[in-house]
Every structure is written in structure tokens, then in C-alpha cells.
């Protein structure tokens, strides 16, 4: 279920912030929601924590570097008006910007990771805010570059690259051509400076949401049938919504969503403001829509988004078949929305961290010895923050934006198979980062989310296939069920989110009101469509329709659809590898090693996966149908 309620992150800052935007604010930070709880009375092993001293030895060192970068950012003004002075002048300016970009990334990641260890610590939250503000200042300080480069023009810049690229300019070619590509949407120096200065304001709704949902909301306390008293924060909800006792599941849903309903109006205003900022930026830059603007940065055709939704609607009968199969296995005649999360077959098996490492290595064996050696290298280091603790950020993520160090992984490991799957998922991101770093300079190592999630979902499929081997029917049913739930959560659920996100943006673009109540109505309509509620497949209680307010991805600007495209692409790669396609492993590793040296859509297309066509989605659902065929055959036996 690795991405069913995924958390975090994508944003866009000024054009010169291309690398920083993708490296820090999103593309190198890959996240997953996991079933975790942070209740104080929960017993966990001794914490295994990452070593942030590898980034800065002390907080005092961070403070000193922040002061140095303050001056360095201010000093970038000296390059204004120099970019057209010749290839040497252009290279000097770009090298200076890139060097500061790289160190700002390091500064921000340290503060980000430190603050996520315990979000209740105000000092670390303040340090994170200071780093974010400096990123915004960097965007302002470099906002002159895109308009200036456009005035120089593609003819001159391409001549510089052709004649002097080997002198150090080639590493900036992707950045330069990306600026030139966006010429119709780049504004004057003054306008770019104003837009860059809006960064902290634009990020406001997301930060308000994060603080409200993580620490300020008064979550309800319930008593389960076991007698256990549980405070239903986000992590505890994610854990207990899958309770075996059906009455417990209903109690969890009723109590949790009743609390979110109380904040429907406020959270509606927060998300409405966020959407309006997207629409404002898109119109200011003369894009056809907010969707066009969001996809323009990574250069993803809008056809991908449209094809994804259309293909998903076409395959809803397979999702409805899964729900009917779930009702059969759970032995319920009236499958409800709160019956989605318990495993099809219960399992008491738990896994420790050592077993998770062993399974990740064994399942990744088809990717080759070089790949597994990188996993072993990572496992040997202090790269992870592993167990839940009070105040810790929920979910899981990999942050790979510190180019000269290594990836960092946050987990909330409880020992379920879902945690093992999340472990393999996040380490897929980590190895992707390691490959990208080793094969690219800093200027092109940051890869797009569009390829990033392929690295993680391929690992999940390989893990599932590894678990299927040499086990009894009962065990096989359990792992087959987890495979189905992964497809439901990572594909169908994320496309439902993507369609909701598109609809709320279209409403604002049409000048219609967007309140919390209106969002709840829209969300309920989509849930009923996707879950077959009007055809008797699954009953949905309108009281749960405030679920939209729980999804942090709606603050990421057309981000979630990439989980769905990625599981389709990752499944195609995994099946090619497992079916002994002689070029599959080579193609897959080539995609991961390419980093940001090519646009992600074109890169995947080059290696046989075109996500603007039906083929990847049809292949994914064919696998889903095969898994259901096998489950039904086992049940019939």
C-alpha cells in the first residue's frame, strides 16, 4: 500500500531556481504514508537515527554557513547584465549560481530533517523557516537571469554551447535550454522579481495546513473492542482503520472524519487560497491553465494527464471486481468504505529491520550485483531515522538533495509487511539518487518525480513477486492481497485525487466559488464513481467525504498523478525484468542513471514506456486481473 495516502511535495519557484526547485522543494524528496502511530505509550525498539553531522558537524556550523550564504546570495547581483558578455562570462555566472544553489540545498535539507525529528521543537522549526526564507531570497536574487538569457536569444546561446561547451558550459546546457523553452512564459526582470518575492506567501497555505494537521488539531480518543484507548491522530488513524474488528473500523472512521468535518470551512479556505495562487501564477505567465503551467516545468505533455484519467475510467470495472472480491473474502454482504483497509487475509507475521534489509536485497537481485551492492552500502551507514516517536513527522520519505553526502530516509517502522514494502520503496528512491549522483554533475543530478516513483514502485513489484514464491495458499492469499491493495492505493486512488485536483482548479479558473462544502460535494461524487457506490458495489457514507481535507498532496500542484503513471511504468519495467527481457535491466538502470540530464517523459519514451498512451495502464490492469484470477482459483480450491 505504499502510496495510498502519500505525503509531500512539489512546488515551482522562479525560472533560475530550476535546480533548487526540483532538488529541494520536491523532486528529490520522495514520500510515502505508512501505518504508523506516535502514541506515547507505544513500545518500539531503541531509535535508529540518521547522522546529520555528516551534513554539518554542529548547529553552530550551520549558523555560520547560513551567514556566509546570506552574503553570497546578495553578491549574485554583480552578474546582472553580464550574461551576454561571452561564453566565459556566462559560464562564470552559472557556476557561481550553481555553487550557491548546491550549498543552499545542503543548508535547507539539514534544517528540514532536523525539524522532522520532532516537530514540537520550536528552535528547529525556526531554523527550517530561516532556510526556506533564504531560498526565496535566492530566487529573487537570480530572477533577472531568465529574462536576460531570453534577450540574448537561443541563437547566441547555442553558439556558445557549440563552440565552448567543452570549456565547462555543457553542464549548464539543460538549464539554459529549459529557460529558452519557456520563453513565452517568462516575464520582464521586474515582473520576475515580484513573482519570486511571492514565494513565502504562496507557501503559506501549505505550512498552515501542515501545522494544523500535524500538531494543532484536537484529535478524538476512542476505545476499541480490545479495551485499548487510542488517540486518533493521522498516524493512529492510518494504523487502526485496518482493524480486523469491523465495529472498530467504523468507530475509527466515524470519529476521525467527524473531527475533520469541524474544520471543513477553514481547510476549504486554505486549499482555495493555494489553488488560487496556482491559477494566478499560470495566468500571469500566460499558460492556458494551471495544469499546463504545472506540467510545463518538467515538460510533461498534458495528454499524459488526460490519458491517465480516461484509461482509469475505462478500467473501473476491474476496481469494482476487486471490491466484490474483497467483500467475498471478508464475508460481508454490504461492503463499506471503512472495509477497504484491512488485509484480505489476516497475518500476524511481523518483520524486524534486519529481515526487511534481507528481503529488499533478495527481491532486488534481478536488478544485478551493482544495484544490490549500493543497497548494502546504504544499509551500512547512518542514513535512516527508523521508528515512530512522539512529535516525529508521520509517513516515510527519502531526501536526496545533499549532493556531496548521501540520501537520507525517514521511516516510521512498525514491523508489518506494509512497512517492509515501504522500506523497499524508499530504498528504491535512495539507489536512484546514488546512481544519478554518480553519473551526473550537480547541475543535472536532480531527477523528476515522473521517473522517481518508477524507481520505488518497481522495487515494490519485485518484492511482491519474491514473496509469492514457495509459500502456502494461505500465505499466498495474503501477499496477493497486498499486491491488489497496492494497485488500488497507488493507481486508482491517486488518479481519483488527480481528478479532484483538476476539478477544483477548473472551478477557480471558471470563476466559481470554491468552499470547503463545495469540495466535499465534489469529492463525494468522485468517491462514489470510483467505488461503484451507485451500482451497489460499495456503500459510502457522506460523513466521510471531508477526506479531501486529509490529503496533503493537494498542496503540491498537480503532483499525485505521477504515482499512478509511475506504478504503470514501474510494473512494465518489473515484468520485463522478471520475464528475462534481455534489455530490460539495462534500460531500467539507464533511466535511473540519467538523472535530470533529459526530460523524464522523453527519457521513458526512449526506453519503451510512453505514458501518453494506453499501453502502460492496460499492462498494469492486466496484472491486476491476473492476480484476481489467482485469488479466485485459490478460493475455489
Amino acid at each position: 500500500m505504499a502510496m495510498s495516502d502519500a505525503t509531500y511535495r512539489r512546488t515551482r519557484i522562479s525560472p533560475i531556481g530550476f535546480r533548487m526547485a526540483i532538488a529541494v522543494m520536491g523532486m528529490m524528496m520522495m514520500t510515502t504514508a505508512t501505518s504508523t502511530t506516535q502514541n506515547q505509550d507505544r513500545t518500539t525498539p531503541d531509535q535508529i537515527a540518521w547522522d546529520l553531522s555528516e551534513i554539518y558537524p554542529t548547529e553552530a556550523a550551520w549558523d555560520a554557513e547560513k551567514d556566509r550564504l546570506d552574503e553570497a546570495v546578495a553578491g549574485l547581483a554583480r552578474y546582472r547584465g553580464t550574461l551576454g558578455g561571452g561564453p566565459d562570462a556566462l559560464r562564470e555566472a552559472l557556476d557561481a549560481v550553481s555553487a550557491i544553489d548546491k550549498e543552499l540545498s545542503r543548508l535547507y535539507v539539514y534544517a528540514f530533517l532536523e525539524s522532522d525529528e520532532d516537530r514540537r521543537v520550536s528552535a528547529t522549526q525556526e531554523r527550517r523557516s530561516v532556510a526556506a526564507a533564504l531560498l526565496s531570497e535566492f530566487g529573487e536574487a537570480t530572477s533577472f537571469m531568465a529574462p536576460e538569457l531570453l534577450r540574448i536569444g537561443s541563437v547566441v546561446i547555442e553558439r556558445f554551447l557549440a563552440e565552448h561547451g567543452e570549456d565547462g558550459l555543457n553542464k549548464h546546457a539543460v538549464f539554459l535550454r529549459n529557460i529558452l523553452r519557456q520563453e513565452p512564459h517568462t516575464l520582464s526582470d521586474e515582473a520576475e522579481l515580484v513573482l519570486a518575492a511571492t514565494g513565502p506567501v504562496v507557501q503559506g497555505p501549505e505550512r498552515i495546513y501542515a501545522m494544523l494537521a500535524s500538531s494543532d488539531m484536537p484529535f478524538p480518543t476512542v476505545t476499541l473492542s480490545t479495551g485499548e484507548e487510542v488517540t486518533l491522530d493521522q498516524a493512529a488513524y492510518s494504523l487502526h482503520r485496518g482493524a480486523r474488528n469491523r465495529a472498530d473500523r467504523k468507530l475509527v472512521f466515524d470519529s476521525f472524519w467527524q473531527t475533520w468535518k469541524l474544520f471543513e470551512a477553514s481547510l476549504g479556505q486554505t486549499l482555495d487560497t493555494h489553488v488560487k495562487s496556482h491559477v494566478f501564477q499560470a495566468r500571469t505567465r500566460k499558460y492556458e491553465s494551471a495544469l499546463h503551467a504545472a506540467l510545463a516545468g518538467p515538460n510533461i505533455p498534458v495528454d499524459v494527464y488526460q490519458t491517465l484519467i480516461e484509461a482509469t475510467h475505462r478500467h473501473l470495472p476491474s476496481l469494482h471486481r476487486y471490491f466484490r472480491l474483497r467483500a467475498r473474502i471478508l464475508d460481508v454482504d454490504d461492503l463499506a468504505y471503512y472495509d477497504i483497509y484491512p488485509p484480505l487475509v489476516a497475518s500476524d507475521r511481523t518483520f524486524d529491520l534486519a529481515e526487511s534489509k534481507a528481503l529488499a536485497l533478495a527481491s532486488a537481485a534481478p536488478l544485478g550485483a551493482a544495484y544490490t551492492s549500493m543497497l548494502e552500502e546504504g544499509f551500512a551507514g547512518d542514513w535512516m531515522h527508523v521508528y515512530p516517536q512522539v512529535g516525529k513527522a508521520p509517513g516515510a520519505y527519502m531526501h536526496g538533495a545533499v549532493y556531496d553526502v548521501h540520501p537520507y530516509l525517514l521511516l516510521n517502522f512498525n514491523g508489518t509487511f506494509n512497512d517492509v514494502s515501504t522500506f523497499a520503496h524508499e530504498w528504491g528512491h535512495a539507489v536512484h539518487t546514488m546512481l544519478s549522483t554518480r553519473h551526473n554533475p550537480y547541475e543535472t543530478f536532480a531527477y523528476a518525480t515522473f521517473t522517481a516513483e518508477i524507481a520505488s514502485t518497481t522495487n515494490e513489484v519485485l518484492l511482491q513477486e519474491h514473496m509469492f514464491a514457495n509459500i502456502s495458499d494461505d500465505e499466498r492469499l495474503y501477499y496477493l492481497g497486498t499486491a491488489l491493495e497496492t494497485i488500488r492505493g497507488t493507481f486508482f486512488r491517486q488518479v481519483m485525487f488527480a481528478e479532484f485536483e483538476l476539478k477544483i482548479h477548473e472551478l477557480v479558473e471558471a470563476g466559481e466559488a470554491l468552499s470547503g462544502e463545495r469540495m466535499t460535494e465534489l469529492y463525494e461524487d468522485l468517491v462514489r464513481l470510483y467505488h461503484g457506490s451507485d451500482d451497489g458495489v460499495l456503500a459510502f457514507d457522506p460523513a466521510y467525504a471531508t477526506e479531501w481535507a486529509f490529503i496533503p498532496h493537494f498542496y503540491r500542484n498537480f503532483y499525485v498523478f505521477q504515482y499512478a503513471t509511475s506504478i504503470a511504468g514501474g510494473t512494465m519495467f518489473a515484468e520485463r525484468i522478471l520475464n528475462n527481457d534481455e534489455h530490460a535491466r539495462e534500460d531500467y538502470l539507464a533511466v535511473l542513471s540519467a538523472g535530470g540530464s533529459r526530460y523524464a517523459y522523453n527519457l521513458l519514451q526512449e526506453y519503451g514506456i510512453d505514458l501518453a498512451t494506453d499501453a502502460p495502464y492496460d499492462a498494469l490492469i492486466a496484472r491486476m486481473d491476473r492476480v484476481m484470477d489467482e485469488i479466485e482459483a485459490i478460493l475455489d480450491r
Side-chain angles (χ1 to χ4, degrees):
M1 179 186 103
M3 301 311 277
S4 64
D5 285 306
T7 44
Y8 301 132
R9 155 158 280 119
R10 158 86 90 193
T11 190
R12 183 186 188 279
I13 55 179
S14 64
I16 189 61
F18 174 68
R19 290 188 298 272
M20 181 60 72
I22 60 180
V24 175
M25 297 305 228
M27 295 180 175
M28 299 295 286
M29 167 143 177
M30 305 307 154
T31 66
T32 307
T34 54
S35 297
T36 63
T37 184
Q38 300 168 27
N39 290 343
Q40 291 184 335
D41 59 350
R42 184 172 179 80
T43 301
T44 62
D46 291 339
Q47 185 62 269
I48 296 173
W50 46 41
D51 182 8
L52 297 185
S53 69
E54 295 179 80
I55 306 178
Y56 295 106
T58 63
E59 291 181 352
W62 186 93
D63 291 336
E65 180 65 358
K66 186 265 174 189
D67 292 340
R68 186 189 74 81
L69 287 171
D70 264 333
E71 295 182 6
V73 168
L76 289 173
R78 69 180 179 273
Y79 295 107
R80 184 185 295 271
T82 71
L83 305 185
D88 290 342
L90 179 59
R91 176 185 51 76
E92 180 186 347
L94 292 177
D95 283 352
V97 169
S98 181
I100 294 174
D101 192 357
K102 181 180 173 183
E103 295 311 312
L104 278 173
S105 175
R106 190 184 189 106
L107 189 84
Y108 180 83
V109 172
Y110 179 94
F112 185 98
L113 297 176
E114 184 187 41
S115 68
D116 270 2
E117 292 175 354
D118 189 342
R119 289 181 170 177
R120 302 168 302 165
V121 179
S122 59
T124 60
Q125 297 299 324
E126 290 166 6
R127 189 174 290 110
R128 177 172 168 179
S129 295
V130 166
L134 188 53
L135 286 180
S136 181
E137 291 174 24
F138 173 74
E140 293 178 46
T142 55
S143 63
F144 72 90
M145 296 186 76
E148 190 168 321
L149 288 167
L150 291 171
R151 285 195 296 271
I152 297 167
S154 59
V155 172
V156 173
I157 290 175
E158 289 295 345
R159 176 164 56 80
F160 287 173
L161 289 168
E163 297 175 1
H164 302 275
E166 297 301 324
D167 298 329
L169 202 53
N170 276 343
K171 67 181 180 180
H172 300 293
V174 171
F175 171 73
L176 289 168
R177 288 173 176 143
N178 191 61
I179 293 294
L180 296 171
R181 179 179 60 82
Q182 298 188 67
E183 179 176 6
H185 309 290
T186 303
L187 309 177
S188 67
D189 290 15
E190 184 178 7
E192 287 292 344
L193 182 62
V194 170
L195 279 183
T198 65
V201 178
V202 168
Q203 295 163 21
E206 177 190 353
R207 292 191 63 79
I208 292 169
Y209 166 82
M211 295 306 296
L212 179 62
S214 296
S215 60
D216 294 348
M217 187 176 288
F219 291 107
T221 298
V222 298
T223 302
L224 303 178
S225 61
T226 60
E228 180 184 5
E229 190 174 88
V230 175
T231 298
L232 289 176
D233 60 10
Q234 295 192 53
Y237 163 74
S238 296
L239 180 67
H240 293 290
R241 66 186 177 183
R244 296 183 189 180
N245 183 289
R246 197 180 190 207
D248 284 346
R249 298 197 296 271
K250 187 175 188 305
L251 174 65
V252 166
F253 266 68
D254 289 349
S255 302
F256 190 71
W257 297 120
Q258 184 180 33
T259 297
W260 285 85
K261 182 69 175 178
L262 297 175
F263 293 85
E264 177 187 59
S266 299
L267 289 171
Q269 286 298 308
T270 304
L271 185 53
D272 174 52
T273 302
H274 190 69
V275 170
K276 283 185 168 122
S277 74
H278 296 162
V279 174
F280 164 74
Q281 291 170 325
R283 287 176 175 167
T284 301
R285 294 193 178 279
K286 303 178 176 64
Y287 283 103
E288 183 178 333
S289 69
L291 176 63
H292 284 79
L295 300 189
N299 203 22
I300 298 171
V302 173
D303 285 350
V304 170
Y305 209 97
Q306 296 166 338
T307 301
L308 171 66
I309 292 175
E310 291 167 2
T312 304
H313 282 201
R314 183 162 48 82
H315 287 301
L316 284 177
S318 290
L319 179 62
H320 298 167
R321 177 190 175 191
Y322 165 55
F323 289 139
R324 292 187 176 98
L325 183 59
R326 171 171 280 275
R328 175 184 176 185
I329 295 174
L330 295 181
D331 193 25
V332 295
D333 295 327
D334 55 342
L335 190 74
Y337 200 56
Y338 52 78
D339 293 319
I340 288 176
Y341 294 103
L344 292 180
V345 177
S347 173
D348 291 324
R349 182 178 178 187
T350 58
F351 303 81
D352 61 23
L353 192 63
E355 288 176 290
S356 298
K357 293 177 180 179
L359 286 170
L361 286 167
S363 61
L367 298 176
Y371 187 98
T372 55
S373 70
M374 283 187 281
L375 280 176
E376 290 172 332
E377 176 188 346
F379 294 167
D382 296 324
W383 297 13
M384 296 185 288
H385 201 289
V386 177
Y387 299 111
Q389 66 185 37
V390 176
K392 180 178 175 180
Y397 60 70
M398 187 285 309
H399 213 321
V402 186
Y403 181 79
D404 293 323
V405 185
H406 55 69
Y408 284 84
L409 294 87
L410 180 139
L411 304 171
N412 277 281
F413 189 89
N414 278 308
T416 68
F417 180 69
N418 178 66
D419 295 309
V420 179
S421 182
T422 297
F423 182 88
H425 179 110
E426 299 304 338
W427 276 101
H429 288 312
V431 174
H432 187 181
T433 299
M434 295 166 75
L435 283 166
S436 179
T437 302
R438 293 176 185 184
H439 289 89
N440 295 274
Y442 175 73
E443 288 72 17
T444 58
F445 97 106
Y447 46 81
T449 306
F450 202 66
T451 50
E453 295 303 337
I454 284 179
S456 54
T457 53
T458 299
N459 276 20
E460 288 190 65
V461 174
L462 293 175
L463 176 64
Q464 291 163 9
E465 293 296 328
H466 177 76
M467 301 303 292
F468 291 165
N470 304 315
I471 54 178
S472 67
D473 273 0
D474 283 347
E475 291 176 298
R476 195 170 181 82
L477 274 178
Y478 173 76
Y479 293 114
L480 289 168
T482 64
L484 285 182
E485 184 57 18
T486 295
I487 296 172
R488 181 201 70 81
T490 311
F491 184 75
F492 286 103
R493 183 167 168 83
Q494 301 305 320
V495 179
M496 183 179 75
F497 290 166
E499 191 168 355
F500 174 79
E501 189 173 11
L502 179 60
K503 285 180 181 295
I504 60 177
H505 280 81
E506 288 175 339
L507 279 175
V508 170
E509 287 168 337
E512 296 188 32
L514 187 62
S515 64
E517 183 179 5
R518 181 75 174 108
M519 290 186 217
T520 299
E521 293 170 356
L522 285 171
Y523 192 81
E524 180 182 355
D525 290 343
L526 284 171
V527 173
R528 296 184 68 82
L529 170 66
Y530 276 71
H531 295 75
S533 297
D534 294 334
D535 297 320
V537 176
L538 180 149
F540 180 74
D541 189 334
Y544 307 152
T546 51
E547 187 180 46
W548 61 266
F550 172 66
I551 311 301
H553 263 117
F554 295 145
Y555 294 87
R556 302 294 179 254
N557 196 11
F558 294 103
Y559 178 94
V560 291
F561 82 97
Q562 294 167 108
Y563 292 128
T565 56
S566 292
I567 191 175
T571 297
M572 284 191 78
F573 266 131
E575 295 206 342
R576 283 179 59 194
I577 292 165
L578 294 170
N579 290 328
N580 300 313
D581 180 326
E582 60 179 327
H583 299 296
R585 183 199 297 175
E586 180 183 342
D587 289 351
Y588 177 70
L589 295 179
V591 168
L592 303 194
S593 299
S597 62
R598 271 122 63 213
Y599 289 117
Y601 171 77
N602 303 106
L603 176 64
L604 290 171
Q605 200 176 35
E606 179 182 343
Y607 290 101
I609 297 177
D610 188 345
L611 289 158
T613 68
D614 289 333
Y617 313 116
D618 292 349
L620 173 67
I621 303 307
R623 181 173 190 269
M624 182 182 189
D625 287 334
R626 289 197 302 272
V627 169
M628 289 191 286
D629 289 343
E630 186 168 355
I631 289 176
E632 288 173 347
I634 292 174
L635 293 177
D636 291 343
R637 286 199 296 273

